[in-house]
């Protein structure tokens, strides 16, 4: 299976058409909408600051999220994109709410059942970017716990997969 953004469609079609010609089975292509990077408009695997890596530790995730571009009232950023296409998709499937933990002096916790409600509050500046970032980092770190248990094995596998012989 191959996972990629819609911008990878042409290369996936090329692979689908040509891999069987050189002895490989046809693979499944899973394409997702383009999610903005944490910095800038496009997420890039070559720019560590623009993405969360599956092997990033908790502190790294928090640092990357806190450094992400996220202007109050403007939902066109990587935090909101990841929230919409990843976090809220998973929350919806599991019938769970997205919770933004806030001190009572700032209005207390916020709970959301759908992305549209989050975006509405963000655009109307009822949800502060830092509160949003903290909640997103918390969810991402929770999602990565099971991967972190196998971090050494996965790093070794990645090293083998991407080493030049």
């Amino acid at each position: 299976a191959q996972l990629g953004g819609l911008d990878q469609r042409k290369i996936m079609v090329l692979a689908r058409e040509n891999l069987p010609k050189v002895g490989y089975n046809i693979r499944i292509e899973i394409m997702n909408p383009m999610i903005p990077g944490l910095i800038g408009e496009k997420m890039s695997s070559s720019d560590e600051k623009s993405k969360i890596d599956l092997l990033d530790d908790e502190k790294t995730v928090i640092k990357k999220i806190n450094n992400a571009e996220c202007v109050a009232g403007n939902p066109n950023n990587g935090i909101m994109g990841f929230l919409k296409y990843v976090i809220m998709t998973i929350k919806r499937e599991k019938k769970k709410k997205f919770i933004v933990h806030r001190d009572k002096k700032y209005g207390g916790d916020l709970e959301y059942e759908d992305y549209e409600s989050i975006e509405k509050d963000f655009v109307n500046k009822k949800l502060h970017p830092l509160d949003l970032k903290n909640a997103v980092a918390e969810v991402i770190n929770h999602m990565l716990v099971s991967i972190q248990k196998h971090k050494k094995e996965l790093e070794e596998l990645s090293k083998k997969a991407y080493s030049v012989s």
Side-chain angles (χ1 to χ4, degrees):
Q2 175 70 38
L3 172 65
L6 290 173
D7 64 325
Q8 300 293 313
R9 185 175 179 272
K10 288 181 182 178
I11 193 69
M12 289 186 188
V13 169
L14 182 69
R16 176 173 279 257
E17 292 172 350
N18 289 292
L19 285 176
K21 294 176 184 174
V22 292
Y24 291 93
N25 292 330
I26 292 177
R27 61 185 181 187
I28 299 167
E29 290 85 15
I30 303 166
M31 290 180 272
N32 56 290
M34 294 301 297
I35 299 173
L38 297 175
I39 57 168
E41 291 185 21
K42 186 177 180 201
M43 189 180 302
S44 171
S45 60
S46 62
D47 186 347
E48 287 297 318
K49 295 176 186 174
S50 79
K51 66 181 178 79
I52 301 295
D53 192 290
L54 292 174
L55 298 178
D56 283 345
D57 61 37
E58 186 174 340
K59 288 180 182 177
T60 302
V61 169
I62 291 168
K63 181 178 179 182
K64 285 181 178 182
I65 295 294
N66 283 337
N67 289 331
E69 294 175 7
C70 187
V71 176
N74 182 357
N76 298 318
N77 60 67
I79 299 289
M80 293 296 285
F82 193 81
L83 185 62
K84 180 177 184 177
Y85 293 112
V86 180
I87 293 173
M88 292 310 292
T89 299
I90 294 167
K91 295 278 187 193
R92 185 176 57 243
E93 287 176 3
K94 293 185 175 190
K95 296 180 176 32
K96 296 200 174 195
K97 295 179 182 178
F98 177 71
I99 300 171
V100 178
H101 298 287
R102 302 187 311 180
D103 194 289
K104 286 187 180 185
K105 69 181 177 181
Y106 298 115
D109 293 351
L110 297 171
E111 294 185 1
Y112 297 97
E113 292 185 15
D114 57 73
Y115 172 79
E116 293 74 22
S117 298
I118 300 168
E119 184 176 296
K120 181 180 176 186
D121 278 1
F122 189 74
V123 168
N124 292 323
K125 299 183 181 179
K126 293 179 181 177
L127 174 57
H128 191 277
L130 184 56
D131 293 330
L132 177 65
K133 287 179 177 186
N134 289 338
V136 167
E138 181 181 329
V139 171
I140 291 172
N141 278 323
H142 179 74
M143 290 167 54
L144 295 178
V145 165
S146 61
I147 293 171
Q148 294 299 324
K149 291 178 185 175
H150 305 283
K151 186 172 181 170
K152 288 184 181 184
E153 299 164 57
L154 293 169
E155 286 174 333
E156 192 60 36
L157 181 61
S158 178
K159 189 188 240 181
K160 288 179 184 177
Y162 294 104
S163 67
V164 179
S165 300

